[in-house]
Amino acid sequence: MFQTEFEFTLPKGYADGEGNLHRKGVMRLATAIDEIAPLRDPRVKSNPAYSTIIILARVINCLGAITEITPAVVEGFFAEDLNYLQNFYRQINGLESEAVKSDDSLTTLAS
C-alpha cells in the first residue's frame, strides 16, 4: 500500500497554552491544492513567506494531543522545529532539497 502519512518528532516541541509539550506528530503528503490555496490568502499576498505556515497547517494531521493544527499553532513553533518540518515536508514529498533562505517558503523550495 502507498504510504501517505508519516510520523515525526520535533527537536524541541510545541508548548500549548496550558504548558503541555507536544513533540510527536503525523504529516500527510501534500496535494496540489495544499500548495495553491495559500496563494489566495491575504497574509501570503502581503508576506509570501507566510505560505510556509499555511502549508504546514494544512498537511500536519496531528501534533501530540492537538488534532486541529491551525496557522496560529504553527506560528508558535520554535525556529528549529519549523526548519525541521520544512525539511521533513520536502523529504516526504520528494522535492529537491535546497538551502533554506530566511525569505523562502515551502512552495519556492519546491522549484
Side-chain angles (χ1 to χ4, degrees):
M1 182 175 214
F2 182 67
Q3 185 175 0
T4 60
E5 294 187 339
F6 301 84
E7 294 182 352
F8 63 84
T9 303
L10 295 176
K12 299 270 187 225
Y14 170 74
D16 65 22
E18 297 175 1
N20 300 311
L21 189 66
H22 306 272
R23 292 189 63 216
K24 294 182 183 274
V26 175
M27 183 184 291
R28 66 171 173 77
L29 291 178
T31 62
I33 195 66
D34 291 324
E35 296 227 350
I36 294 169
L39 300 176
R40 295 185 293 240
D41 191 292
R43 295 169 291 189
V44 173
K45 289 181 180 182
S46 65
N47 179 4
Y50 198 79
S51 65
T52 298
I53 303 299
I54 295 175
I55 291 169
L56 288 175
R58 291 176 65 96
V59 299
I60 298 172
N61 289 344
C62 63
L63 180 61
I66 304 170
T67 57
E68 184 180 344
I69 308 301
T70 64
V73 170
V74 179
E75 288 173 358
F77 290 167
F78 293 109
E80 182 178 359
D81 291 335
L82 183 62
N83 184 57
Y84 170 84
L85 289 168
Q86 287 174 315
N87 291 331
F88 189 71
Y89 176 92
R90 286 190 302 270
Q91 178 188 354
I92 68 170
N93 285 289
L95 305 174
E96 280 189 14
S97 181
E98 296 179 12
V100 177
K101 297 177 186 173
S102 61
D103 61 346
D104 279 346
S105 69
L106 292 172
T107 53
T108 59
L109 289 171
S111 52

